[in-house]
Amino acid sequence: MTPTNKTTKEAGTNLSSTQHVTPTERSALRTFGSRGGKKSAQRWTDPIQTEYHTNARKPLEAANKRRKLGASSTRLEIAAAVQKHQFELGVSPTVAEIAEEFGVSRDTVKRALKQAGISLPRGRRSNSK
């Protein structure tokens, strides 16, 4: 048996196993992907395809609106919780405590406080013994 560049085919399929793809198969898969991308890009730039554009954006608009409302409410909740904590206890909570309480990142907390105009004391807390 002479060695060839072909890999063994799996039973019942036209393609080789997923680990070994022949150069011909690789070329075919690459062509399919680029043709799909070219067609999609052509649709987005074609002024005749405005119906395609609007139909593609409709579900995204609703999802983006919900996401924006959710983020806005979280920001307001964070600001309210910090002010309530300062009012009731007289000390500011740490960014880490706020992030853990709301299940968000430290950066999200910082952005929310900055947008609300709340500034927390910098540095480490002093030990009250």
Side-chain angles (χ1 to χ4, degrees):
M1 191 164 164
T2 60
T4 62
N5 198 17
K6 291 270 185 178
T7 57
T8 58
K9 306 276 185 196
E10 288 188 13
T13 65
N14 291 334
L15 291 175
S16 319
S17 68
T18 56
Q19 293 177 339
H20 306 287
V21 181
T22 64
T24 308
E25 292 167 350
R26 193 175 295 114
S27 175
L29 293 171
R30 187 171 37 244
T31 304
F32 291 144
S34 68
R35 283 185 185 160
K38 286 177 187 174
K39 204 65 176 166
S40 177
Q42 186 182 15
R43 268 192 232 111
W44 281 111
T45 56
D46 188 6
I48 299 170
Q49 298 282 346
T50 55
E51 186 178 336
Y52 171 79
H53 301 166
T54 55
N55 289 339
R57 287 189 179 113
K58 277 182 187 175
L60 298 175
E61 288 175 4
N64 287 338
K65 188 179 269 189
R66 274 193 78 184
R67 195 176 303 116
K68 192 173 183 179
L69 283 171
S72 177
S73 66
T74 301
R75 277 195 306 269
L76 294 172
E77 288 175 17
I78 289 171
V82 169
Q83 287 181 335
K84 185 174 182 181
H85 192 276
Q86 288 174 334
F87 173 72
E88 290 177 352
L89 302 177
V91 294
S92 300
T94 63
V95 173
E97 291 171 347
I98 302 165
E100 185 179 333
E101 182 180 336
F102 285 94
V104 296
S105 69
R106 294 173 57 92
D107 288 335
T108 301
V109 173
K110 289 177 187 177
R111 281 191 301 270
L113 295 177
K114 184 176 182 180
Q115 201 168 33
I118 299 171
S119 61
L120 298 179
R122 295 178 53 112
R124 294 178 182 258
R125 286 186 174 172
S126 60
N127 286 340
S128 55
K129 292 183 178 179

